[in-house]
Amino acid sequence: GQQIKTFVDAVDKYAQLGLRTLCLGWRELSLEEYLEWSRLFKEANSALVDREWKVAEVCQKLEHTLDILGISAIEDRLQDGVPETIEILRQSGINFWMLTGDKQSTAIQIALLCNLISSEPKGQLLYINGKTEDEVARSLERVLLTMRITSSEPKELAFVVDGWALEIILTRYKEAFTELAVLSKTAICCRVTPSQKAQLVKLLKSCDYRTLAIGDGGNDVRMIQQAHIGVGISGREGLQAARAADYSIGKFRFLKRLILVHGRYSYNRTAFLSQYSFYKSLLICFIQILYCRNKFIQFS
């Protein structure tokens, strides 16, 4: 029954500026209600199977009928060199997927700032939305049809999907989404959980893509470990991602040198070592074959 239009307008305004928003709310709990919830939370937190889903389900039992107190927003500034790094890596043929927990408008604004997507008329955003299975299915089919028709055009296409619709898609329409993943070069997945990030990486791996996941927080650990190559950024978010990754860097812009310079050097060295291994093995084997043949001729 609260008048929340002012708060909703404030959230939209902050999100369009690229700020990370947080709504603050409260409600009073009775002692019996808290004790019952605390018992359920401890059981869910100690579960060995589907712990994350069980904890989220228990938390939702408590987080309802809240009275809103206000809205806050903070600026999560981009690091230096992020747009230039993404642009160079895209020119080298690398596809980018942005997996974030931010709301949709915030994620789109950040994607525009870092050159992940292009604004009209050079680029076009396709939205996959819906609260029910039918709505999500129609939205997914519409986006997939558009991708098929315009795949040969020079216009840059990207699709946006939120966590609610993504959960339905990964459960019911995985094959259609896999086809969309193959056709799309850029995607923005917002409001996604750590487990959904890992599921998306696993889906892309099933499409015969070589995947690289980069993140800077603890919620990126599962995604980093699921990818072929994991890169962690050590910074204000802590060291969880850096410790779980194959490579650790201090800034996002270092990714350009890691892939284009050190990656190429590593590829050349590995190729040379493979050729040398074949040469060494053939040389040793032929010496043995020749020696055995000479011995056989002498005995005969």
Side-chain angles (χ1 to χ4, degrees):
Q2 248 184 314
Q3 299 297 324
I4 62 171
K5 185 177 184 304
T6 306
F7 299 105
V8 173
D9 292 341
V11 169
D12 292 337
K13 180 181 176 181
Y14 291 146
Q16 289 171 4
L17 295 174
L19 304 179
R20 288 194 163 184
T21 58
L22 179 68
C23 299
L24 309 176
W26 79 285
R27 77 181 180 93
E28 190 173 349
L29 300 176
S30 64
L31 180 61
E32 294 79 9
E33 186 179 7
Y34 170 74
L35 292 175
E36 175 65 17
W37 178 85
S38 179
R39 181 184 63 82
L40 295 174
F41 181 78
K42 288 179 181 178
E43 291 178 0
N45 209 28
S46 59
L48 299 178
V49 180
D50 295 333
R51 179 185 303 174
E52 184 178 337
W53 296 109
K54 291 179 179 178
V55 169
E57 186 179 0
V58 171
C59 289
Q60 285 199 356
K61 293 181 179 179
L62 192 69
E63 297 170 356
H64 60 85
T65 60
L66 300 175
D67 293 329
I68 189 166
L69 294 176
I71 308 294
S72 69
I74 60 171
E75 182 182 10
D76 191 6
R77 295 185 61 186
L78 287 177
Q79 296 179 1
D80 295 334
V82 172
E84 295 82 3
T85 301
I86 291 178
E87 183 65 27
I88 291 174
L89 293 178
R90 289 182 68 185
Q91 289 175 5
S92 65
I94 297 175
N95 298 341
F96 273 86
W97 282 46
M98 177 181 174
L99 313 180
T100 178
D102 294 332
K103 63 187 275 94
Q104 191 176 90
S105 51
T106 304
I108 293 173
Q109 188 64 31
I110 293 173
L112 286 169
L113 290 174
C114 63
N115 283 345
L116 189 67
I117 57 176
S118 302
S119 56
E120 293 282 356
K122 186 180 177 181
Q124 182 181 354
L125 270 180
L126 307 173
Y127 295 87
I128 302 176
N129 294 320
K131 296 297 183 182
T132 64
E133 290 186 12
D134 292 337
E135 292 176 357
V136 172
R138 287 195 298 268
S139 181
L140 177 61
E141 185 62 32
R142 184 177 65 252
V143 171
L144 188 55
L145 183 61
T146 306
M147 282 285 186
R148 289 170 182 161
I149 295 172
T150 59
S151 59
S152 58
E153 296 183 6
K155 196 170 187 178
E156 297 179 6
L157 294 178
F159 71 87
V160 183
V161 60
D162 62 6
W164 184 274
L166 185 63
E167 184 62 31
I168 297 175
I169 289 171
L170 293 176
T171 306
R172 302 287 185 182
Y173 311 106
K174 200 169 184 178
E175 292 183 2
F177 190 72
T178 302
E179 183 182 353
L180 180 62
V182 173
L183 293 173
S184 176
K185 293 183 178 180
T186 307
I188 301 173
C189 304
C190 48
R191 289 294 192 199
V192 293
T193 63
S195 61
Q196 287 177 329
K197 292 181 180 180
Q199 284 178 292
L200 285 171
V201 173
K202 186 177 180 180
L203 178 71
L204 292 172
K205 286 171 68 177
S206 68
C207 301
D208 293 331
Y209 280 120
R210 183 68 61 181
T211 57
L212 182 148
I214 180 169
D216 62 352
N219 56 350
D220 299 319
V221 169
R222 295 180 65 175
M223 171 185 71
I224 288 173
Q225 291 178 337
Q226 182 66 242
H228 290 108
I229 305 167
V231 179
I233 301 176
S234 55
R236 295 182 180 179
E237 295 286 339
L239 297 175
Q240 286 180 291
R243 288 171 179 165
D246 302 307
Y247 300 94
S248 176
I249 57 179
K251 302 285 185 181
F252 184 88
R253 58 187 171 89
F254 297 157
L255 185 66
K256 176 177 66 176
R257 188 169 180 84
L258 177 66
I259 295 177
L260 302 183
V261 178
H262 298 289
R264 178 168 174 79
Y265 284 161
S266 176
Y267 179 82
N268 289 337
R269 293 183 189 120
T270 304
F272 177 79
L273 181 62
S274 300
Q275 293 174 356
Y276 173 75
S277 298
F278 279 113
Y279 169 77
K280 181 189 69 173
S281 301
L282 288 172
L283 194 63
I284 293 174
C285 290
F286 275 114
I287 290 174
Q288 294 291 333
I289 293 171
L290 187 62
Y291 176 76
C292 292
R293 181 174 176 273
N294 290 337
K295 294 291 289 183
F296 177 74
I297 292 174
Q298 289 179 7
F299 283 124
S300 61

